[in-house]
Structure formats: structure tokens, C-alpha cells
Amino acid sequence: MNAGIRRVGVVGGGRMGAGIAEVCARTGLDTIVCEADATAALAARDRVAASLGRAVEKGKLDRASAEDALGRLVFTGSLDALADRHLVIEAVVENPDVKTEVFAALDKIVEDPGAILATNTSSLPVMRLGMATRRAHRVVGLHFFNPVPVLPLVEVISSLHTAPETVAAVEGFAATLGKTVVRSQDRAGFVVNALLVPYLLSAVRMAESGFATAADVDAGMELGCAHPMGPLKLADLIGLDTVAAIAESLYDEFKEPLYAPPPLLQRMVQAGLLGRKTGRGFHTYGEG
């Protein structure tokens, strides 16, 4: 285990934050999950417990290990609980103002000046978040992929201020979680989303124009290109609001038309049709 990072905090207990907290707890780390309030914290606990239960059912984890992992987790509605953490990973909504506010608050709350503040942002500038603190050299991007307990990749993104020892520490931390690291410069989309999101947006435009149905677009890429999941199913899994936010961030930075979110995607977000998490996106799902 990375000797320097033993106590971890995760801000945000949604799909991504819960997944990050789960892999930390399964690795034996003392982990606190902070949500907006006690009700949301309880929902985050249920989310992690359900994921651990599925791992047990699939034979990927024994029941005792699952119970131990859940026992290492504390769920709270107060950021003050993160004061003694060695590493805090922010995993809140993909909104620059919200994330900046979280980083400014964490900078005041986390007591150890050597503690690392990391963001799980999909596309926003790490520099902006670092500059909201007095420790920009200890701020880094640590981008996990959904579902976190399954996908082995983590992107590590350093800003112009991030210290080399900060990068080394989070790479060591990611290795203890069993993750493979790729490094990226602090540019919108980093490596994966800069390649992936234009592909997803092209699929949205194809469905929007009536060129092909969502089902046929997905079948074409699954059966014709051996992709494990078609682009519109993948967009639904990521969350159409998140896809739109990443697209907007890419377009703001590069001003390339292929990065602009299509009107259909924007309307679906406005309508609350966000994919799997709401039960309906480009496809319909049994659970909201």
C-alpha cells in the first residue's frame, strides 16, 4: 500500500464517487464519503452496498471482504469530516462553479498542507481548480472511468503548477488500487474523452438526422466493429448531461464544430432524459 496515502476522502457519492470509494475501501484504505446532506449520504451508502453485493453474486468478491470494505467506509453530510485526510478526490457534478467552490472549501478544511486535492473531472481545467486553493502544486486530475470497480484505467492530469511529487504520489495510489495510469496534459477532454466524445456526438447527429435509428447505430458498431457497447448506449451509461458538459468544455477550448453538442442532445438534457440513471435516454431502461 502507498505509505503516504492511508486516509482518503471522496466528495460526491453518485455513481462515480461511490465507485471510487468502493475501490479505496476494498484496497483497505480508511475512506470517508461526503455528500450534500445526510439523506444523500445514506443513498451513497446504499449505492456502494448494492455494488459490493453484485460483486459477491458474480463471484468477484467474497462476502467477508465485501462486509469488511463497507465497514471501512464512513458516509457524512459534512465536508469538515475530511480535515485529516491525506488525499481528497472530488467527484461532484461536472460544473466548473460547483467544483471550484468545493476546492476552495477543501483548501480551508484539509489540515495537512501536504495533502493532495484531486478532481475526477472528465474535461474541466485542473488549473482552474488549483487556483481556487493555496496549494495548486498539490492539486491534480485523477480521472476514473465508469464503472470504477471494473474499468482498470485512470488518467492523471497535471496543471502547470502541479508538483512532480504530487503526480508520483497519485500514480502510486492508483497502482495500489490495481489501476493502470495514462498521463495527460491539462487540456479539455484529456486523452480518452478528447477521442471518445466526438465519436459519441457523431452518433447523436446520425440519429438526430434520421440517417439511422439509435438501435441500428449501436448494432452497427457492436457487430461491425466489435465494440462492447454501441455509442448511444454508452452515452446513456455515461449520462447525457455529462456527455453534453464534456462537449461544451471541449468546444469552449478548441472551437471545433465536431465538439459542439448537437441540438437533440441539448433538448434531451433539458427534458431530463439523461440515460440509464433516469430510465430513458436514446434507449429505455427498466430502472430510473
Side-chain angles (χ1 to χ4, degrees):
M1 185 180 293
N2 187 343
I5 298 176
R6 301 180 305 280
R7 297 191 296 273
V8 178
V10 179
V11 183
R15 189 186 297 269
M16 289 300 299
I20 294 167
E22 178 184 336
V23 297
C24 290
R26 285 171 64 167
T27 307
L29 296 168
D30 170 358
T31 307
I32 297 176
V33 181
C34 181
E35 257 292 0
D37 53 41
T39 300
L42 182 59
R45 186 188 189 282
D46 291 343
R47 200 168 285 120
V48 175
S51 178
L52 288 167
R54 287 192 295 270
V56 171
E57 289 172 4
K58 294 177 180 177
K60 298 182 181 298
L61 191 67
D62 63 78
R63 190 165 300 278
S65 296
E67 291 173 354
D68 286 346
L70 194 58
R72 286 190 199 96
L73 288 161
V74 172
F75 297 83
T76 178
S78 172
L79 280 176
D80 291 338
L82 306 179
D84 69 344
R85 302 291 94 179
H86 298 130
L87 168 67
V88 179
I89 304 168
E90 167 275 314
V92 301
V93 63
E94 194 74 355
N95 178 295
D97 295 331
V98 174
K99 288 182 183 290
T100 300
E101 184 177 338
V102 168
F103 270 79
L106 288 173
D107 186 47
K108 296 180 177 69
I109 290 167
V110 179
E111 295 170 352
D112 182 357
I116 297 171
L117 306 181
T119 176
N120 185 58
T121 181
S122 304
S123 61
L124 298 174
V126 175
M127 175 63 77
R128 172 172 177 169
L129 303 178
M131 294 304 289
T133 75
R134 296 160 297 178
R135 57 177 102 189
H137 65 298
R138 301 298 282 174
V139 174
V140 66
L142 195 59
H143 180 217
F144 292 80
F145 291 81
N146 183 40
V148 179
V150 176
L151 294 187
L153 187 69
V154 174
E155 290 179 313
V156 171
I157 305 99
S158 54
S159 78
L160 294 173
H161 281 308
T162 306
E165 56 267 29
T166 301
V167 173
V170 296
E171 287 186 348
F173 167 75
T176 67
L177 302 182
K179 303 297 185 183
T180 297
V181 167
V182 295
R183 292 190 182 190
S184 173
Q185 294 184 6
D186 187 17
R187 298 181 67 182
F190 316 132
V191 174
V192 175
N193 280 321
L195 293 169
L196 175 64
V197 171
Y199 160 64
L200 300 182
L201 299 180
S202 293
V204 173
R205 293 188 185 99
M206 185 170 281
E208 179 179 49
S209 70
F211 189 89
T213 66
D216 284 347
V217 169
D218 284 339
M221 297 310 293
E222 290 168 9
L223 304 179
C225 294
H227 287 201
M229 183 179 294
L232 298 176
K233 288 180 184 175
L234 180 56
D236 280 351
L237 176 64
I238 294 168
L240 300 189
D241 52 339
T242 300
V243 173
I246 298 170
E248 288 164 1
S249 181
L250 287 165
Y251 184 73
D252 285 345
E253 179 140 321
F254 299 111
K255 300 298 187 292
E256 293 283 351
L258 79 162
Y259 294 136
L264 175 60
L265 179 62
Q266 294 174 318
R267 296 296 181 273
M268 293 178 74
V269 171
Q270 291 166 358
L273 305 177
L274 307 182
R276 281 187 176 272
K277 60 188 172 184
T278 60
R280 181 180 164 196
F282 288 98
H283 303 278
T284 302
Y285 304 90
E287 296 181 358

